[in-house]
Amino acid sequence: MEIAKAYDPKQAEQSHYERWESSGFFTPEINEDPAAVKYSIVIPPPNVTGSLHMGHALQHTIMDVLTRWKRMQGFRTLWLPGTDHAGISVQRKVAEQLRKDEKKSPLDIGREEFVRRAWAWKEEYGNTITEQMRREGASVDWSRHRFTMDRELSTAVRNVFIRLYEEGWIYKGLRIVNWCPKDKTVLSDLEVKEETRKDGKLYYLRYPISGSPPYEGGVAPASGDGVVLSSSSESLSELNPDNAVENHPPAEAAGPLLRKEGRFLTVATTRPETMLGDTAVAVNPKDERYKDMIGKIIALPLTNREIPIVGDEYVDPEFGTGAVKVTPAHDPNDYQIGLRHDLEQLLVMNEDATMNAAAGTEFEDLDRFRAREKVVEMFEELGLLERVEDYEITLPVCERCKTVVEPILSDQWFVKMDEMRDMALDLIKKEGVPHFSPQVPHEKVYTAWLENLKDWTISRQLWWGHQIPAWYDEEGNVYVATTAEEAKEKSGGRELTQDQDVLDTWFSSGLWAFSTFGWTGDAESGRQGLSANSYQLSAISDRKADLGTFLPTDVLVTGRDIIFLWVSRMIMLTKKFVDKKAFEDVIVTGTVLGKDGKPMSKSRNNGVDPIEMFDKFGVDATRIYLASIATGADIKWNDIGVETYRNFANKIWNATRFCLLNSEGASVGSANLSLPDTLADRWIVSRLNKTAINVNNALSRYEFHTAVSLLYHFFWDDFCDWYIELKKDEINAGDIAASSRILSILEQALRLLHPFMPYLTEELWQKLPGTSNQLHNAAYSKAGQTIMLADFPKGDPAAIDERAESEMQSVIELITKVRNIRAEMNIKAGDMLSIHAAAGTEMQAVFTANEAQIKKLARADTLVLSETLDVPKASAKAVLTGGAELAVPLEGLIDFDKERERLQNQIAKLDVELQRLNGQLSNANFVEKAPEEKVQELRDRQAEIEQQTSTLNLNLKVLK
RNA sequence: GCCGUCUUAGCUCAGUGGUAGAGCACUCGCUUCACACGCGAUAGGUCACAAGUUCAAAUCUUGUAGACGGCACCA
């Protein structure tokens, strides 16, 4: 068989996926065993607007490793793929396209046409990521692919909404919400991020108190008369001298005017424009400075309104001036104050964050930031601007478009979270579900977050998404129903209009764990008004059993950024609607950072495209590199890491290439593993089984990096560096038994590697003689031959041969020490040596049995074994574990100085260890308190070192 | 402000009570008949710092410093 000298990943990547998929290997139905235990994972649905990034690649790798591993073990395995409709993102893309191509806005074409175009956009561009997943080798069941706006999933969304509404868990009401003026929609708390601005300002505004008598004299009034002018400035400066930068003329300029007007109260704000919507000023009732001002009235500048001074415990006397302007319609805390004091809620902004008519004619239609400037200017002109401080401020911004979010009073839909929160808390506290990997810190963070959970804003002012199934009559009465007809029926036949809003994308994602398995809510709820016809449409007739079969799923693999946004909601909603756990375990992956150690992002331009890595190093190399990252750990991207595994792939390729040389007549078969012959055979079989056991253990603990490391070193160090080298002559001589054995070991190794490197292993497995579906796990005996259905090696503890491993260790040590002598004494690679070894009879027997291999690998022509060494002085010597000794006569070649140095180095190294051992063993506490085993271990080691040291010293003496 | 994570060889990272590990880079030597994406042999670390617990600490506890993350506040 002709095999290329180097592995070309592209060729293998193009050859297998289509066959795997079309043969149904990815579907659970491929499993013929009726008693098979299920194993299921649902994918965190990527956005239809997205393309594959490194985070996906990492998570998909983990999910595929688990899926392939379990599938090979004979589980009825399902990894269910899908995509998310990504409300705002799609809305924005479609609107952008519309503007670019036709210079139209969504409003120009209307809702129906816009939604039609959004679907068209999704059809055209929404498959990018699914195509990329095929390249990744993801063994997902495409026949079960779901989209959050599929008919069945949309039905589920409606039914969930209706039930929550009927149970009082969903309500509509006026609340302060996060408003994005650019997207013109409300956002949930989780979609708002913080941005620190160092150039923020804190404005101190003076609010005149109406009807108060002018005070006398040109200085500030005594305490009790309010915080004014210089006195307040001074006290503030004292509090925070560094920040007290006065950018504006001091108060004196405005003094005379004010003195005529009377007393005033100074408030500090970062958002002066909101003063137009102030409906009170609040002070702490316990604050001596302001106590008697409560109840007085302020003439609010720039408006002709008068607002009261109220006393409220919320106000912190220590902060700012101790007096707070209250804008109930534009600030969540002010809103609460407003409720307590029955204050007017005056909305002064439009949905695009321009000021509205209520802000006054001078401000109407001004952008909020322009309005801010104008308010400040006008205060200054009026002499009411006390001062402006530089102030570092953290602003809420829209996580997607980075626009500053405006808190605004708005009528929205909310989900009450208290009862759902309690269900989730019960699950984690009583049952430990989900189990997080790594456990710390996610379990703690998740629990703490739940405990502080607030209600969830679910309405969004978009067109792309699940329109809220609520209808209104002319009087504003609400009818929540599945269809318009049902709503009309409920209203007694009135004319209704449907709520224009859609639901938060995460609302439908929250149902993902069960809506993907065909749950629509129809059958369970037995709702009236759903015709038999509509039920049929929403049922997935042939997959009805999926929900019962695959839920709870076994594990959820996701990033820590959506634990709250998605994971928690799935747990709660799944518990609520199906009364099941959504998943047992959650693997929280770390973040793949750019080369600069910062998260990858377009703005930083530090992103690494997985597809480019696939092209450069191959899919398999990229996958196994990603799997080699410790679970949950962040990692700086490093091409060299992938290169390492590209090299590994090539190593596997070439090892296979070697095993196939001269292999005529040989064949893969497990029988070849149970009849080991030589020491090397027993050793490699032992190593293989140990590796298989450890790999299974590591995977079951989600320690993918441990599994990768075990496989890497087994394959490269044990199999390639030693076993192949030891068996080379036999293989090259065309020994069929030896060939069959090495191919069988290789075949087992390929199976172990397959979950990580699916393409390479399939490519090679198909080339091995004797591979067929006979090697499949019993659950797949009828399927066409593929390594992906081969039985995953469990590893047999009985096949572990510690004696063989230790004997082999002696052979390896002998060879290594000879090589060391060769290298350090500058003996040419081609020169043959003569090896003399003194050892006990058992070890001699081991060396004798492996004489040919030792000679070959150490490049020696003679091996002389005896009880004691009898060699010329001109020999290089070394000691071996177990009291054995080694000498290589180097007549005419030896450099005595160098040999002395070599021996002294060895003695010095041993001496360091001996000192430590002696110290420990002479410590009575240690000998008394440490476990006996440990003490004995150190004593044995001490004896070994003493023996070796004395031998080395003797050898050194001979040289002198 | 609260909570958490990280700090180990030049670089990127494993290891979490009992003699410090890997890959890459470095040094030396190899056209050894699978592989130079290779083979062989070296070198390289008071495991951030300090105190404590323990016979024993890179590993557990506390504190300090630096890096990062989450949450809250932000008049």
Side-chain angles (χ1 to χ4, degrees):
Chain A
M1 199 185 296
E2 277 297 309
I3 302 182
K5 198 170 168 179
Y7 173 52
D8 171 22
K10 288 211 182 66
Q11 195 263 319
E13 284 163 23
Q14 282 157 10
S15 311
H16 304 292
Y17 196 88
E18 206 185 307
R19 174 172 165 263
W20 290 337
E21 184 186 345
S22 62
S23 306
F25 294 162
F26 299 158
T27 70
E29 285 76 19
I30 196 73
N31 193 309
E32 304 148 19
D33 174 10
V37 177
K38 70 89 192 178
Y39 187 82
S40 56
I41 298 177
V42 289
I43 199 169
N47 289 349
V48 283
T49 50
S51 60
L52 196 74
H53 59 60
M54 218 33 103
H56 292 127
L58 170 63
Q59 289 171 12
H60 295 171
T61 296
I62 289 173
M63 286 185 260
D64 201 39
V65 166
L66 288 171
T67 303
R68 287 179 182 270
W69 172 51
K70 287 291 177 179
R71 187 186 290 115
M72 289 173 80
Q73 286 186 332
F75 284 74
R76 181 179 307 285
T77 307
L78 170 62
W79 178 16
L80 186 146
T83 43
D84 188 286
H85 67 276
I88 295 183
S89 302
V90 171
Q91 175 108 11
R92 194 181 291 145
K93 296 236 176 197
V94 175
E96 206 171 287
Q97 199 179 45
L98 193 62
R99 186 174 50 77
K100 230 167 104 185
D101 298 353
E102 305 174 39
K103 307 240 180 313
K104 285 182 182 165
S105 78
L107 285 170
D108 293 336
I109 62 168
R111 180 169 195 145
E112 203 175 321
E113 176 62 13
F114 184 86
V115 170
R116 199 188 62 72
R117 292 192 189 210
W119 275 104
W121 186 93
K122 183 251 173 191
E123 291 309 320
E124 188 169 353
Y125 302 105
N127 297 325
T128 308
I129 203 150
T130 50
E131 283 311 311
Q132 289 172 322
M133 281 185 68
R134 285 186 158 83
R135 176 88 191 271
E136 287 182 294
S139 62
V140 295
D141 180 358
W142 291 110
S143 72
R144 282 178 167 82
H145 182 273
R146 296 285 184 269
F147 174 57
T148 46
M149 281 173 66
D150 282 348
R151 184 197 307 274
E152 295 81 9
L153 278 75
S154 299
T155 304
V157 165
R158 268 202 308 281
N159 283 328
V160 163
F161 184 94
I162 292 164
R163 231 175 91 189
L164 290 176
Y165 177 77
E166 286 174 353
E167 292 181 21
W169 291 24
I170 280 184
Y171 64 92
K172 194 181 191 203
L174 270 178
R175 296 286 184 283
I176 295 281
V177 295
N178 308 297
W179 182 267
C180 176
K182 186 164 179 223
D183 293 327
K184 297 197 181 66
T185 178
V186 62
L187 302 171
S188 74
D189 293 349
L190 291 171
E191 291 160 293
V192 174
K193 295 292 163 223
E194 257 119 56
E195 206 173 281
T196 304
R197 298 267 172 91
K198 296 207 189 289
D199 61 350
K201 303 269 189 255
L202 188 60
Y203 302 87
Y204 287 79
L205 308 180
R206 293 177 181 143
Y207 284 6
I209 298 166
S210 10
S212 54
Y215 52 84
E216 292 152 25
V219 287
S223 65
D225 277 337
V227 176
V228 290
L229 291 180
S230 51
S231 65
S232 75
S233 299
E234 274 168 23
S235 62
L236 275 159
S237 301
E238 276 162 24
L239 282 173
N240 203 349
D242 292 333
N243 276 351
V245 180
E246 301 199 12
N247 293 337
H248 285 256
E252 279 72 17
L257 178 68
L258 264 173
R259 280 170 209 137
K260 276 179 211 152
E261 294 282 332
R263 298 192 302 174
F264 50 84
L265 204 53
T266 301
V267 299
T269 180
T270 54
R271 296 191 296 154
E273 69 282 10
T274 62
M275 64 75 54
L276 298 168
D278 281 1
T279 55
V281 170
V283 297
N284 193 305
K286 288 179 187 149
D287 191 333
E288 289 299 326
R289 296 172 294 179
Y290 301 122
K291 218 171 169 179
D292 54 356
M293 300 179 84
I294 294 170
K296 296 221 161 82
I297 299 294
I298 279 174
L300 190 65
L302 315 188
T303 71
N304 50 14
R305 292 187 292 117
E306 294 203 313
I307 59 174
I309 297 172
V310 299
D312 197 286
E313 300 276 347
Y314 165 77
V315 179
D316 176 5
E318 304 294 314
F319 192 94
T321 63
V324 185
K325 60 188 276 306
V326 183
T327 324
H330 289 277
D331 183 280
N333 296 310
D334 293 5
Y335 174 76
Q336 293 298 330
I337 296 176
L339 288 184
R340 286 195 286 273
H341 301 278
D342 200 21
L343 300 175
E344 192 191 344
Q345 297 162 340
L346 186 63
L347 200 64
V348 292
M349 281 185 206
N350 298 310
E351 61 177 27
D352 60 353
T354 56
M355 309 309 287
N356 66 17
T361 46
E362 282 184 278
F363 295 96
E364 189 174 0
D365 294 333
L366 277 187
D367 174 76
R368 56 183 162 167
F369 298 118
R370 181 67 199 100
R372 174 176 304 175
E373 289 169 21
K374 188 159 181 182
V375 165
V376 172
E377 281 165 23
M378 290 177 78
F379 262 76
E380 193 168 10
E381 282 165 21
L382 292 171
L384 294 173
L385 181 68
E386 186 174 298
R387 62 205 176 90
V388 181
E389 280 179 6
D390 285 339
Y391 189 74
E392 185 179 305
I393 187 167
T394 45
L395 292 173
V397 297
C398 173
E399 103 182 310
R400 291 178 197 81
C401 70
K402 311 297 176 208
T403 306
V404 175
V405 163
E406 195 65 37
I408 211 168
L409 188 67
S410 181
D411 196 20
Q412 300 291 341
W413 290 92
F414 298 88
V415 180
K416 234 164 78 182
M417 297 308 286
D418 44 3
E419 285 176 74
M420 279 210 242
R421 182 247 334 269
D422 291 344
M423 292 190 316
L425 278 174
D426 264 11
L427 264 180
I428 187 113
K429 287 186 172 165
K430 292 183 185 152
E431 297 181 46
V433 173
H435 174 264
F436 284 94
S437 292
Q439 199 161 359
V440 180
H442 301 112
E443 185 177 318
K444 209 172 164 179
V445 171
Y446 167 78
T447 310
W449 180 78
L450 279 179
E451 282 164 354
N452 298 302
L453 192 52
K454 288 189 277 188
D455 288 358
W456 170 20
T457 321
I458 49 169
S459 39
R460 293 291 180 276
Q461 288 65 49
L462 305 172
W463 285 345
W464 176 242
H466 301 99
Q467 193 169 354
I468 292 178
W471 283 261
Y472 305 95
D473 60 21
E474 284 186 350
E475 293 162 24
N477 296 310
V478 184
Y479 306 93
V480 170
T482 314
T483 60
E485 294 76 47
E486 191 190 323
K488 189 163 184 174
E489 213 174 287
K490 278 189 171 181
S491 73
R494 299 182 190 207
E495 275 307 305
L496 303 176
T497 48
Q498 187 171 2
D499 195 301
Q500 291 301 295
D501 291 353
V502 300
L503 289 163
D504 180 4
T505 304
W506 295 107
F507 189 87
S508 50
S509 315
L511 317 181
W512 190 247
F514 54 98
S515 62
T516 46
F517 292 128
W519 186 95
T520 60
D522 283 349
E524 289 86 344
S525 60
R527 299 191 54 75
Q528 308 242 320
L530 261 187
S531 64
N533 198 30
S534 70
Y535 174 74
Q536 267 202 332
L537 281 172
S538 63
I540 305 171
S541 51
D542 57 331
R543 299 273 167 85
K544 268 184 188 160
D546 278 9
L547 186 69
T549 307
F550 295 112
L551 194 75
T553 57
D554 289 81
V555 60
L556 181 79
V557 180
T558 188
R560 60 174 88 92
D561 52 334
I562 53 175
I563 291 178
F564 306 148
L565 218 44
W566 186 52
V567 178
S568 66
R569 287 162 180 171
M570 256 201 299
I571 290 168
M572 294 187 272
L573 288 164
T574 308
K575 181 71 185 162
K576 169 73 180 163
F577 284 90
V578 198
D579 195 23
K580 277 193 179 190
K581 295 175 266 193
F583 26 75
E584 303 286 341
D585 299 341
V586 176
I587 296 175
V588 183
T589 57
T591 310
V592 184
L593 306 168
K595 285 168 190 156
D596 56 0
K598 304 227 166 81
M600 292 185 187
S601 74
K602 279 177 202 141
S603 57
R604 281 196 201 89
N605 196 26
N606 61 349
V608 179
D609 182 358
I611 303 297
E612 276 175 33
M613 290 300 122
F614 294 168
D615 290 341
K616 195 168 171 192
F617 300 111
V619 171
D620 289 324
T622 310
R623 286 173 56 121
I624 194 168
Y625 168 63
L626 289 168
S628 79
I629 299 167
T631 311
D634 290 352
I635 188 154
K636 272 183 231 179
W637 184 264
N638 192 354
D639 275 7
I640 286 165
V642 193
E643 207 179 319
T644 298
Y645 291 100
R646 188 273 313 261
N647 295 349
F648 183 46
N650 191 56
K651 188 74 179 176
I652 296 167
W653 177 267
N654 275 292
T656 305
R657 196 162 152 251
F658 172 79
C659 292
L660 287 171
L661 293 172
N662 309 305
S663 67
E664 288 95 319
S667 178
V668 162
S670 56
N672 299 316
L673 302 176
S674 52
L675 297 168
D677 183 4
T678 62
L679 171 63
D681 295 333
R682 282 182 285 129
W683 171 76
I684 196 69
V685 167
S686 178
R687 295 291 309 136
L688 172 69
N689 281 279
K690 211 180 246 186
T691 303
I693 289 169
N694 291 336
V695 164
N696 279 289
N697 286 340
L699 288 177
S700 64
R701 289 193 302 266
Y702 303 136
E703 290 172 11
F704 306 95
H705 63 297
T706 308
V708 169
S709 168
L710 284 162
L711 288 167
Y712 183 92
H713 292 292
F714 168 73
F715 198 92
W716 203 309
D717 302 350
D718 296 343
F719 185 68
C720 291
D721 287 350
W722 290 105
Y723 191 67
I724 288 184
E725 295 303 329
L726 288 164
K727 303 299 279 187
K728 221 164 211 176
D729 288 344
E730 290 169 56
I731 305 297
N732 285 339
D735 181 329
I736 292 176
S739 228
S740 290
R741 185 172 295 120
I742 204 165
L743 284 167
S744 303
I745 302 279
L746 171 69
E747 195 265 342
Q748 293 280 313
L750 292 178
R751 295 193 208 184
L752 289 167
L753 286 160
H754 178 260
F756 301 94
M757 312 180 90
Y759 291 118
L760 170 69
T761 51
E762 178 76 308
E763 180 74 14
L764 293 176
W765 193 81
Q766 297 290 352
K767 292 186 196 296
L768 301 186
T771 46
S772 73
N773 59 8
Q774 297 292 307
L775 302 179
H776 284 186
N777 180 285
Y780 315 109
S781 60
K782 295 193 191 101
Q785 70 172 66
T786 172
I787 190 173
M788 63 171 282
L789 298 177
D791 190 37
F792 195 81
K794 280 185 278 296
D796 178 7
I800 293 175
D801 185 340
E802 292 298 352
R803 181 176 171 148
E805 294 209 24
S806 131
E807 287 180 0
M808 186 66 201
Q809 207 45 53
S810 298
V811 173
I812 289 174
E813 192 186 16
L814 175 69
I815 293 167
T816 305
K817 295 262 169 160
V818 175
R819 284 171 172 173
N820 176 282
I821 288 170
R822 178 188 295 276
E824 299 209 353
M825 302 308 281
N826 295 322
I827 311 297
K828 279 197 201 133
D831 288 354
M832 285 298 176
L833 300 174
S834 172
I835 302 170
H836 294 249
T841 44
E842 278 183 31
M843 206 181 283
Q844 279 191 48
V846 170
F847 292 152
T848 306
N850 293 279
E851 186 175 343
Q853 285 84 352
I854 291 170
K855 281 182 184 165
K856 181 177 166 64
L857 297 190
R859 311 207 123 234
D861 46 18
T862 50
L863 174 65
V864 181
L865 297 167
S866 54
E867 286 289 330
T868 52
L869 277 187
D870 180 19
V871 291
K873 181 187 165 191
S875 299
K877 292 178 184 167
V879 287
L880 304 176
T881 311
E885 224 182 319
L886 163 71
V888 177
L890 294 171
E891 201 63 57
L893 291 170
I894 196 160
D895 174 338
F896 286 103
D897 287 339
K898 200 161 218 169
E899 175 64 2
R900 267 190 289 273
E901 193 188 321
R902 229 175 51 82
L903 293 174
Q904 273 158 348
N905 279 344
Q906 290 176 59
I907 293 166
K909 254 185 210 168
L910 289 170
D911 199 50
V912 171
E913 196 183 339
L914 188 60
Q915 294 303 324
R916 190 174 38 229
L917 287 170
N918 288 342
Q920 267 186 286
L921 287 167
S922 61
N923 180 342
N925 271 330
F926 171 75
V927 179
E928 261 173 53
K929 295 187 184 173
E932 202 172 320
E933 268 178 24
K934 197 75 225 167
V935 178
Q936 193 52 49
E937 198 179 293
L938 294 199
R939 285 199 172 118
D940 292 348
R941 182 70 190 146
Q942 185 187 41
E944 174 84 43
I945 294 178
E946 278 169 350
Q947 186 272 325
Q948 290 190 345
T949 309
S950 85
T951 306
L952 288 168
N953 274 320
L954 267 172
N955 292 341
L956 191 57
K957 210 181 236 171
V958 171
L959 289 183
K960 279 179 179 165

